[in-house]
Structures are given as C-alpha cells and as structure tokens.
Amino acid sequence: MDVTVVTNPTVNVRLTSAISSFEVQRRFNRGISIAELKGKLEMVIGAASSCMDLELFSVSDKFLQKMDDNEALLGSYAVDDDCRIHVTDTSGQMNEFTDVSKVEKFEISDDAYEKRTDSARSFMKKNRFDLVREEEIAKKKAANAAREEENKAAADAMSVGNRCQVQVPGQPTKVGTVMFVGTTDFKPGYWVGVKYDEPMGKHDGTVDGKKYFECVNKYGAFVKPTTVTVGDFPEEDYGLDEM
C-alpha cells in the first residue's frame, strides 16, 4: 500500500532583523523560493532583497541553518510553524540610518536652555503656572461667592428702622439706625445704609448722585451686612440739653 504524507502548504514564521528590535509574524507558501521570500521581506524588513542574509531558528530559538540557496524552496528547509527567520542587511546602509552616534548633535548649556522661551521646559513651566493661577482664581471666586452668601443671609435678617451697631475692621465701633438694605448701583453685592448717631459717616445717603436714604451730611455710610449687628442700641445722650 502506498502512503502519501500531506504537508500544510503554508507556514507561519516569526521574523526578526538586525535593523529593528520588533518581531513580526507572517505566513508564506512553502513552495516559494528563497529569492521570492526575500522579495516579500523587502516591504517587511526595509532592506533590499539582494543584500539579505537569512538564518533559520527553531521554535525555541535554537539556530538551525543558513538559508543561503536562493534557488531552493522554502519548504526544503526545516521550517515549522512559529520558527524564526532572522534577516541581516549586508549592505551596511541601514546602519547608517539607525546609528545615532553618527548624527550631529545640537548642544546647549543648561543656563542658556533655561533662558529660552521656546523650549519644552519653558512650555511646561508656563502651563504649570497657568494651572496654579487658574486654581487660585477658582479658589478666590469660591471664597467671594461664600462671603456674598453670608452677606445676603445677614441682610435678610435686618430691616429698615432697626437699631444697629457697626464694627468695620480697623475703625471704631459706631451706633446708628438701618436706613437701607439691598443692592446698589455703585458696587455689586448686598449693602446696608446706616445713619450714625454721630457725624462719623461719609455722606448724606447719596452716592454717585443717587439718593438711597435721608440723613444729615457726614452721618450716612454704606457697610457690608456682616459688619452690622441689629439689636437694642439706644441713642447716646450727648448732653445737648445742658447749657
């Protein structure tokens, strides 16, 4: 009885080269010649087929033999799936392109590089600065918003006619009457107009030509609501009835 052994007509091999550190896999027909194989490897490896030396390694990367007969078929070698074919470029041209030691280098001192405004270091510093600045601005906005909410809550808790005490940081404590509560045209936010019991104010209830409340000149002032405490603060007797 005749027995015919059928071999898979294609083989999957691993390809490596001295040109690149990457390993790729390709499938080839066992019936192509080594010359044809080199032609196919030109696009994969990047070297001219006429300048290729091929070496065959086993699945376990043990050297088997050189593939130096261009007329021989791929299948005539001991090629199995997952064997490795290593390609060497004998022209030396690829080394000219890959050897970075032959590339002329631009060198600059660290001090000179530090002064450049178009460098990667300058770019990173600027972006870090911008990021920190944006974070600081965001924190200030959040703090201002929280402070304004506090002022609004304080304003909502008082009414025109309330007696009050005003304690502005860096100024003496003053006593007077609430004459205005709300927003104004001269500055954003909530304000309280107060008529002081003494001439310790700045105006007569008029600011930038707009009348907000009535009082004698130098008795009126606008303060933030959080500086005002409403309560039983009777007017002082300054002895005006004495002769």
Side-chain angles (χ1 to χ4, degrees):
M1 180 187 303
D2 294 332
V3 178
T4 303
V5 179
V6 179
T7 304
N8 192 332
T10 61
V11 62
N12 188 61
V13 298
R14 296 177 291 132
L15 299 172
T16 59
S17 74
I19 299 171
S20 171
S21 60
F22 297 102
E23 179 180 295
V24 296
Q25 289 193 351
R26 291 290 186 274
R27 180 169 289 277
F28 299 106
N29 193 302
R30 294 175 187 271
I32 64 173
S33 67
I34 298 303
E36 291 174 315
L37 174 63
K38 289 180 178 180
K40 293 179 180 296
L41 293 180
E42 282 188 342
M43 295 299 296
V44 180
I45 303 302
S49 60
S50 59
C51 300
M52 288 184 186
D53 278 349
L54 305 185
E55 294 177 323
L56 179 63
F57 292 79
S58 68
V59 176
S60 59
D61 284 330
K62 179 182 178 181
F63 175 73
L64 297 178
Q65 61 188 127
K66 286 184 174 293
M67 307 174 76
D68 50 8
D69 186 352
N70 287 333
E71 301 299 323
L73 299 181
L74 175 62
S76 66
Y77 290 91
V79 180
D80 292 320
D81 283 337
D82 293 327
C83 280
R84 180 166 66 92
I85 296 177
H86 184 73
V87 182
T88 301
D89 174 36
T90 59
S91 69
Q93 291 184 359
M94 296 307 298
N95 289 332
E96 292 292 326
F97 298 120
T98 58
D99 187 357
V100 295
S101 66
K102 299 181 179 181
V103 178
E104 183 179 355
K105 298 176 179 60
F106 172 74
E107 296 183 356
I108 184 173
S109 69
D110 189 67
D111 288 342
Y113 186 69
E114 184 70 25
K115 295 176 182 178
R116 295 191 63 146
T117 59
D118 58 347
S119 66
R121 183 185 299 176
S122 174
F123 175 81
M124 293 299 293
K125 282 185 176 181
K126 182 179 184 302
N127 278 270
R128 280 198 297 269
F129 174 78
D130 289 345
L131 180 60
V132 171
R133 187 180 178 188
E134 287 177 5
E135 290 176 350
E136 290 178 350
I137 292 174
K139 288 179 181 178
K140 287 182 179 179
K141 286 184 178 180
N144 289 337
R147 187 162 50 249
E148 199 53 41
E149 282 296 319
E150 187 179 357
N151 276 305
K152 182 179 183 302
D156 291 341
M158 63 185 75
S159 303
V160 173
N162 287 151
R163 290 291 294 169
C164 67
Q165 184 181 74
V166 178
Q167 294 178 302
V168 177
Q171 298 183 15
T173 300
K174 307 167 190 175
V175 178
T177 302
V178 175
M179 303 296 289
F180 174 90
V181 181
T183 57
T184 66
D185 292 338
F186 57 83
K187 276 188 178 180
Y190 287 84
W191 293 88
V192 178
V194 180
K195 179 181 71 175
Y196 293 133
D197 294 347
E198 299 176 76
M200 303 175 69
K202 296 183 177 180
H203 48 70
D204 62 355
T206 302
V207 179
D208 292 341
K210 182 174 180 178
K211 194 73 170 178
Y212 290 93
F213 60 90
E214 294 283 349
C215 74
V216 179
N217 192 29
K218 299 299 181 182
Y219 279 75
F222 278 96
V223 293
K224 298 303 290 182
T226 52
T227 66
V228 180
T229 302
V230 297
D232 185 16
F233 299 101
E235 292 189 45
E236 294 284 350
D237 184 359
Y238 296 104
L240 297 180
D241 293 334
E242 296 181 1
M243 297 297 293

